[in-house]
Amino acid sequence: MFACKPNLTNTMISALRCLRFNPVVVVSGPGHRCLSTRTDGELRIAQVLKEKFPSASSLKVVDISGGCGAMYEIHIESGEFKGKRTVQQHQLVNQALKEEIQGMHGLRIFTDVPKQ
């Protein structure tokens, strides 16, 4: 009998489900899903961040909970972070997402200042 670790089994199941609807699948990190779709939570968080950080040169929001909206990973690059320590940058993002964070289990934040 073939046995897999639960996480590996979930990864394979997620990839197979994606293949039914989309021939392009990305399997990397937790929360595997097709790249062609974005969850409502991703779209909502991205919109809030675009409003709060209008000078952001790069923004990426990924639901890493598998699509259920419990955990997100955010990569944001904005000139508004210039001169601020990382913890201050993260506080700005947390403050911007104060309402959305209430329904989350976790949040990974990666901030940067644009290279000129």
Side-chain angles (χ1 to χ4, degrees):
M1 176 126 197
F2 179 75
C4 291
K5 293 182 179 178
N7 198 20
L8 181 58
T9 301
N10 291 339
T11 300
M12 292 187 309
I13 290 170
S14 294
L16 291 173
R17 284 184 185 145
C18 284
L19 278 173
R20 285 192 327 202
F21 303 106
N22 187 343
V24 178
V25 177
V26 172
V27 180
S28 63
H32 316 292
R33 64 172 215 281
C34 301
L35 273 187
S36 64
T37 60
R38 293 182 65 193
T39 67
D40 290 339
E42 289 171 338
L43 295 172
R44 186 179 68 253
I45 290 169
Q47 183 61 40
V48 169
L49 291 173
K50 285 177 188 175
E51 291 172 7
K52 299 290 183 174
F53 300 98
S55 67
S57 58
S58 175
L59 174 63
K60 179 179 165 188
V61 179
V62 180
D63 183 341
I64 57 174
S65 64
C68 72
M71 190 162 180
Y72 292 90
E73 183 171 291
I74 296 170
H75 296 262
I76 184 168
E77 187 176 283
S78 176
E80 296 171 54
F81 299 140
K82 189 172 184 167
K84 292 179 174 53
R85 296 185 320 247
T86 302
V87 69
Q88 293 170 319
Q89 296 172 9
H90 289 202
Q91 287 170 341
L92 289 172
V93 174
N94 278 317
Q95 186 177 12
L97 297 173
K98 185 169 44 173
E99 295 293 319
E100 289 74 16
I101 286 175
Q102 292 177 12
M104 292 181 200
H105 173 71
L107 182 63
R108 291 183 191 162
I109 302 172
F110 299 90
T111 55
D112 204 359
V113 177
K115 316 275 187 284
Q116 294 183 20

